[in-house]
Amino acid sequence: MGALDEGHFCSELENGVKLDCIELSFEEEPETIAIEDAVKVLMQGLGEDVNREGLKKTPLRVAKALREGTRGYRQRAKDIVQGALFPESGLDNTVGHAGGAGGLVVVRDLDLFSYCESCMLPFQVKCHVGYVPSGQRVVGLSKLSRVADVFAKRLQEPQHLADEVCSALQHGIKPAGVAVVLQCLHIHFPNLESAFLDSNHQGWVELLVSSGSGVFENENANLWADFLNLLRFRGINVEKNRMRDSSDQHWCPSRSPSGAIAASKIESVNQGMVTAVASILRSIGEDPLRKELVGTPARFVKWLMSFQTSNLDMKLNGFVSDRVDPQKLNGDGCKEKKIHSELNLSFWSQCEHHLLPFYGVVHIGYLCTEGFNPIAKSLLQSIVCFYGFKLQVQERLTRQIAETVSSLLGGDVIVVVEANHTCMISRGIEKFGSSTATIAVLGRFSTDPAARAKFLQSIPNTAISGR
């Protein structure tokens, strides 16, 4: 980022730079252009047509998402804390602690989003911060969240993130001590083979880490018990003995033994794509030669190649031969049809607009006569996985699943897809907890509101967690 001499700048703007008094728009900034060019290389390496409708603006959208999601490289925590310290007296007597002289302050449930420095995939963070004021002054509470967000909006690993937030607050506020607890969730994509065969894939890796300074440096200090109890009575279950340093053992699935085995099955890594990812790292303000990032470009490319279109063309060949005889499905035409359902079929996919993951569950219903032997759940799960492992949009995914199931059954099908999109939390509105539902109806389901309602009411009222 600091490639231009400071003297050449008139001023720095949040969404642009004035260079020699000429303002560059976001699209014209060299970092944006470099990311766009790199994304085109990645898409071509996947066998995609970068001029296909729906993909034309993907490089720019990815550049915006990445630069927004890593804006912490262009921010300083010191600037946030300065000017946000306020005088607050403590107790009049010397017995006890309160206010600006020793009263514990805790801010809970700060939702953060970061990118894993090992694989560049997103991970979610629930952050809890506590500090003990000193010097009869307190900090504006919103600043705790903003400081944490500065470091989250960088390539990170959990323990390093916790340590950086803790250190920045300790140096910026100069309190008696700071405590930070992070509950982290790393998305764990199955490889294509396990997605077809393993219905019990664990979609998330969870990690609990902590960091303390000042009076919190001693892990057995009574203040730690106070801090954790203030979390616990609000339903936040964190135990100190469950916390560990994520650097002791790689928490990223791409560096786990199973992840390494899956990556090794990819015959070779396209060096042009690896170079493109390294260019992205430089453009967001990172050093691709930093020891923690040396293998990151190759790991990201190996993961991305699992969505290569050509690798999937053979997967559905056996499905057509399994097409159901319409006579068996519909009986003699006199029997009443009943709804058969397969619910909560997991899927994992990649948004073609932002190259960010989305995931969730698929519910499939179809009409058949009594005595008809239902389609095997494994076959429906395979169809879901087949269409998930591509650059996708949720609406197309829903339609493709419905059309394929209908082609097997020759009849009445309804498909509902419920998904969480990481682009909803990594950029723009940063709306944590939102989900999207799409529906496709074919045959009788398109004309019979009662049949649709009956199926929709059978879907369990559970949140999408991917876990």
Side-chain angles (χ1 to χ4, degrees):
M1 303 292 283
L4 297 174
D5 187 85
E6 186 177 349
H8 291 161
F9 286 88
C10 292
S11 63
E12 292 185 3
L13 304 178
E14 183 175 352
N15 294 316
V17 176
K18 283 186 176 180
L19 183 58
D20 293 330
C21 299
I22 300 175
E23 182 180 345
L24 297 178
S25 67
F26 177 87
E27 289 83 358
E28 295 172 319
E29 290 179 11
E31 295 86 358
T32 302
I33 295 171
I35 294 175
E36 286 186 83
D37 291 341
V39 171
K40 290 176 184 177
V41 172
L42 296 178
M43 291 167 60
Q44 290 168 342
L46 284 173
E48 291 285 351
D49 177 6
V50 295
N51 294 314
R52 172 168 69 81
E53 198 63 39
L55 290 182
K56 289 181 180 179
K57 294 185 177 180
T58 291
L60 178 58
R61 285 190 291 258
V62 172
K64 287 182 176 180
L66 273 174
R67 296 196 65 193
E68 174 70 13
T70 58
R71 64 177 181 265
Y73 290 112
R74 304 184 295 278
Q75 296 175 319
R76 295 195 312 167
K78 181 180 179 181
D79 295 338
I80 293 173
V81 174
Q82 283 183 344
L85 294 171
F86 306 98
E88 184 62 41
S89 61
L91 294 173
D92 291 335
N93 57 55
T94 58
V95 179
H97 307 283
L104 177 60
V105 179
V106 178
V107 176
R108 301 171 288 214
D109 290 327
L110 299 174
D111 286 313
L112 305 175
F113 174 95
S114 192
Y115 285 92
C116 174
E117 68 179 11
S118 292
C119 67
M120 292 181 64
L121 288 186
F123 69 94
Q124 298 178 38
V125 181
K126 187 76 74 173
C127 176
H128 315 287
V129 180
Y131 81 100
V132 178
S134 67
Q136 297 196 359
R137 61 180 187 173
V138 296
V139 68
L141 296 178
S142 66
K143 308 307 178 186
L144 300 178
S145 175
R146 290 186 60 192
V147 168
D149 190 64
V150 165
F151 295 104
K153 291 297 189 292
R154 302 177 183 185
L155 297 188
Q156 283 287 8
E157 66 88 31
Q159 188 60 57
H160 189 228
L161 174 57
D163 291 342
E164 284 193 316
V165 173
C166 184
S167 177
L169 291 174
Q170 181 68 40
H171 287 92
I173 306 173
K174 293 182 171 53
V178 175
V180 176
V181 170
L182 304 182
Q183 297 170 282
C184 302
L185 284 175
H186 191 308
I187 194 167
H188 182 196
F189 266 75
N191 60 60
L192 186 58
E193 181 180 338
S194 67
F196 274 83
L197 301 176
D198 181 10
S199 60
N200 297 315
H201 172 75
Q202 297 298 310
W204 294 92
V205 176
E206 301 181 55
L207 188 67
L208 186 66
V209 297
S210 67
S211 185
S213 62
V215 293
F216 288 99
E217 286 187 20
N218 181 357
E219 294 186 355
N220 298 316
N222 291 333
L223 276 170
W224 264 115
D226 294 342
F227 176 61
L228 296 178
N229 281 328
L230 285 171
L231 299 184
R232 191 175 296 112
F233 82 75
R234 296 301 298 175
I236 304 167
N237 186 21
V238 292
E239 299 292 341
K240 198 75 175 72
N241 58 10
R242 288 177 53 222
M243 300 180 191
R244 66 179 179 87
D245 187 333
S246 55
S247 61
D248 292 342
Q249 179 180 345
H250 293 303
W251 86 303
C252 176
S254 72
R255 303 188 71 174
S256 68
S258 59
I261 292 173
S264 68
K265 294 183 178 181
I266 298 176
E267 294 180 359
S268 62
V269 178
N270 183 318
Q271 288 303 314
M273 296 174 73
V274 172
T275 301
V277 177
S279 172
I280 290 174
L281 292 177
R282 283 190 293 271
S283 298
I284 63 175
E286 261 293 359
D287 177 9
L289 297 179
R290 177 162 67 87
K291 66 176 183 177
E292 293 86 358
L293 296 178
V294 170
T296 297
R299 283 189 290 268
F300 179 77
V301 170
K302 287 181 179 180
W303 171 79
L304 192 64
M305 291 304 288
S306 63
F307 295 91
Q308 190 175 18
T309 302
S310 59
N311 287 344
L312 301 173
D313 291 339
M314 302 299 293
K315 295 294 182 182
L316 225 50
N317 280 355
F319 291 177
V320 175
S321 62
D322 291 335
R323 182 177 283 117
V324 175
D325 183 348
Q327 183 66 32
K328 293 180 181 179
L329 178 69
N330 300 315
D332 58 13
C334 299
K335 293 183 179 180
E336 180 183 356
K337 288 186 176 182
K338 295 185 176 181
I339 299 176
H340 184 82
S341 304
E342 286 294 351
L343 308 177
N344 291 321
L345 300 170
S346 298
F347 82 91
W348 307 85
S349 195
Q350 179 87 323
C351 171
E352 71 174 33
H353 292 159
H354 301 98
L355 296 189
L356 284 169
F358 69 101
Y359 57 90
V361 291
V362 178
H363 314 291
I364 300 175
Y366 55 92
L367 293 172
C368 58
T369 57
E370 187 174 354
F372 170 75
N373 190 24
I375 294 179
K377 180 179 179 179
S378 60
L379 176 58
L380 296 178
Q381 181 68 73
S382 295
I383 293 172
V384 169
C385 290
F386 172 80
Y387 287 112
F389 269 83
K390 298 181 178 183
L391 294 187
Q392 272 288 14
V393 295
Q394 185 173 335
E395 297 86 347
R396 185 193 308 140
L397 173 66
T398 309
R399 172 182 59 81
Q400 289 175 331
I401 294 171
E403 288 177 337
T404 301
V405 175
S406 180
S407 72
L408 296 178
L409 297 172
D412 314 306
V413 174
I414 182 170
V415 173
V416 173
V417 176
E418 297 184 275
N420 288 333
H421 291 253
T422 53
C423 64
M424 292 287 284
I425 60 174
S426 67
R427 53 176 294 280
I429 61 172
E430 299 189 10
K431 182 63 177 177
F432 286 81
S434 65
S435 63
T436 303
T438 48
I439 184 171
V441 290
L442 286 77
R444 180 176 153 188
F445 282 107
S446 66
T447 59
D448 188 343
R452 289 200 302 273
K454 186 174 182 180
F455 173 77
L456 293 174
Q457 290 167 8
S458 71
I459 296 175
N461 182 24
T462 55
I464 310 166
S465 68
R467 290 182 281 169

